[in-house]
Amino acid sequence: MNATTPRIVIIGAGPGGLTCARVLQRHDIPVTVYDLDASPAARDQGGTLDMHPDTGQYALRAADLLDDFLALARPEGRQMRMIGADGRIVFDGIPPEADTADGNPEIDRGQLRNLLLDSLKPHTVHWAHKLTRVEPVGDGIHRVHFADGATTDADLVIGADGAWSTVRRLLTDAMPLYTGVTFVETGFNDVDTRHPRLTALTGAGTMMALHNQQGLVAQRNSGGHIRVYVAMRTDEDWHQQAGLDLTDTTAVRNALLDRFTGWSDHLLGFITDTDTGYINRPLYALPVPHSWTHTPGLTLLGDAAHLMSPFSGMGANLAMLDGADLAHALIGNATIDQAVTAYEKILLPRSVEAAVGAAGAIDDAFSPDGAAQVLAHMTQHH
C-alpha cells in the first residue's frame, strides 16, 4: 500500500469483516468497522462452527489468533451422529473430512466473534451504525450514509454486511432466493441435568435425523446448551398458510409435531421440550454463479459475496478466508484497485465452487432419500 493512508471502511462486524480488520491492523493499516447492532451482546450470534485447517484456521493464523482459538475450541465437537426417524443410530463417528491431522475443532459463534473483537484496537468497531446507502462521489471514493444522518468518505468500502447486504446493491442486482428449506430453531439449557435423554442422543457434537424431506439437527454448544434446528422442505410462508402465529409457542409446537407424525418419541423431545421457544429461519442463497463487475472503491466478502446454505459447512470459514485474503492483497499491492482486483480473481471462482457444493448438499439432504444420501457421504473412506 502506498504512502498516503487509505480510508478503509468495513460494513459489518461478523467473522469475515473482523478478520480483515485484525489482519490489516497487524500490518499497521488503519481500518474502521461499522455495525448496526447496538453492542456486541445485542443479539445471539448463532450456533457452533467447525474451523477447517485450510480456511478458518488459516485465517486465524494470519490474524495471530490460532493459539487463542485452540484454547477455546472443542475438538470433541467434531463427532457426527446420524439417527433414523425410528430413533436408531445409523452412523456415529467423525466424518472423513474432519479426520485430518488438525481436524475441524468446533467453537461457538459468539466465542469466535469475541475473540476477534478483543484482538482489535479500541474503538475500531462503531456500534449502532445502520448503513442506509453508499454514494459514489468520484475517483473510486464513496460516501457512506448511516441512519442517524452521519456520513463518512472512504477510499474502499468493504461490504461484510451479510445476506441482505446494502453494499452489494451497488455491484449487482442479485438478491438471495429461498432455498425451499426452512429451519425452526429451538434450544435446551443445562442439558446434562435437565435433558439427559436428549443429551445422550446428541452426543458430543452434531446429531442429524433426516426422513422424507424433513429433519432434526441438534448441535452441542458450550455452556451446557444444545441448539436444535427443526428442518422442513416447505413453502416459505408455511406458517401463514397454516394460520400460525409464530409467537404462540404451543401452536408452533403442535404444528411441528403434526409434520413429524410417525417419528420416534425420543426424537420428538427435540421439538416438545424446548426451553427457548421457536424461531422461524427460512434459508436463502444467492444465485449460482454470483459475480459482479469490478468497481473501484467497493468489494464484498462473506455472505454478502456468496450467501449459501448452512449445509456447506463453509460459510464462516470462507468469510474469514475472504477477510484474510483481502487484507493480504491490500498489504501486498501498491494501490487499492490493484489489491481488490487481485482479491476478486481469487474470491469469485472459489465462491462459485463452494456455492455449487452447498446447493447440492441441501438438495441431497432434503430429497426423498436424503438420509441415504447424507449417510453415504458420511461413511466415505470408513
Side-chain angles (χ1 to χ4, degrees):
M1 198 56 73
N2 57 24
T4 56
T5 302
R7 297 165 296 179
I8 299 174
V9 163
I10 298 174
I11 306 296
L18 295 176
T19 299
C20 187
R22 164 67 177 176
V23 177
L24 289 173
Q25 286 188 348
R26 282 194 71 213
H27 293 81
D28 299 318
I29 295 176
V31 59
T32 308
V33 181
Y34 295 94
D35 195 272
L36 59 78
D37 284 352
S39 75
R43 63 189 172 87
D44 178 55
Q45 290 303 304
T48 183
L49 300 165
D50 59 339
M51 291 280 104
H52 300 195
D54 55 348
T55 50
Q57 289 184 51
Y58 167 88
L60 287 161
R61 191 175 287 111
D64 195 27
L65 294 172
L66 187 61
D67 288 345
D68 296 320
F69 158 75
L70 291 171
L72 289 169
R74 304 189 313 278
E76 71 280 2
R78 295 180 297 152
Q79 181 186 10
M80 287 290 301
R81 179 174 286 173
M82 190 144 184
I83 296 181
D86 59 3
R88 286 184 308 113
I89 295 174
V90 293
F91 177 88
D92 193 10
I94 296 173
E97 64 270 22
D99 205 7
T100 59
D102 298 313
N104 302 352
E106 298 271 339
I107 189 170
D108 288 12
R109 280 179 178 269
Q111 290 178 310
L112 177 65
R113 192 196 206 195
N114 289 337
L115 174 65
L116 289 161
L117 283 171
D118 291 346
S119 75
L120 298 175
K121 293 176 180 174
H123 314 300
T124 299
V125 181
H126 295 244
W127 300 102
H129 277 69
K130 179 175 170 55
L131 178 67
T132 53
R133 64 192 176 96
V134 181
E135 173 192 9
V137 292
D139 295 328
I141 296 166
H142 289 82
R143 185 160 296 146
V144 180
H145 294 258
F146 297 101
D148 64 358
T151 64
T152 189
D153 287 1
D155 300 295
L156 176 61
V157 178
I158 300 168
D161 48 342
W164 305 98
S165 169
T166 299
V167 179
R168 187 174 60 223
R169 293 177 204 161
L170 275 79
L171 293 169
T172 167
D173 293 333
M175 289 294 285
L177 304 171
Y178 179 53
T179 60
V181 174
T182 287
F183 281 3
V184 179
E185 181 182 329
T186 188
F188 302 84
N189 300 322
D190 192 14
V191 292
D192 297 296
T193 305
R194 300 189 54 231
H195 302 284
R197 195 178 67 182
L198 299 181
T199 303
L201 278 170
T202 303
T206 299
M207 182 286 298
M208 191 182 300
L210 298 169
H211 176 65
N212 196 24
Q213 305 185 78
Q214 298 185 155
L216 296 167
V217 182
Q219 291 180 334
R220 184 80 194 226
N221 291 189
S222 61
H225 185 75
I226 290 175
R227 190 177 300 260
V228 173
Y229 302 103
V230 183
M232 311 175 285
R233 183 172 288 286
T234 190
D235 292 334
E236 190 176 358
D237 63 348
W238 70 277
H239 51 96
Q240 290 162 333
Q241 291 179 20
L244 203 58
D245 174 1
L246 288 171
T247 64
D248 183 340
T249 304
T250 303
V252 174
R253 177 188 290 123
N254 291 337
L256 292 174
L257 283 174
D258 195 43
R259 284 175 171 259
F260 283 75
T261 299
W263 284 55
S264 159
D265 285 346
H266 294 299
L267 288 170
L268 292 179
F270 285 113
I271 297 174
T272 57
D273 298 356
T274 175
D275 292 324
T276 61
Y278 305 98
I279 305 168
N280 191 59
R281 298 197 185 282
L283 301 183
Y284 299 92
L286 280 163
V288 184
H290 175 245
S291 62
W292 57 88
T293 303
H294 171 75
T295 304
L298 294 174
T299 196
L300 304 173
L301 63 76
D303 284 351
H306 45 66
L307 178 69
M308 59 189 80
S309 94
F311 269 66
S312 71
M314 289 292 291
N317 280 277
L318 276 183
M320 292 168 69
L321 181 61
D322 295 348
D325 282 347
L326 176 53
H328 285 149
L330 289 163
I331 293 156
N333 283 275
T335 69
I336 282 179
D337 206 52
Q338 288 170 354
V340 172
T341 300
Y343 160 71
E344 289 177 349
K345 278 183 181 163
I346 298 169
L347 165 84
L348 291 168
R350 174 172 76 204
S351 301
V352 170
E353 182 184 358
V356 168
I362 195 169
D363 283 347
D364 287 350
F366 295 98
S367 63
D369 64 340
Q373 298 219 38
V374 173
L375 184 61
H377 174 72
M378 283 183 174
T379 51
Q380 279 172 352
H381 316 306
H382 271 256

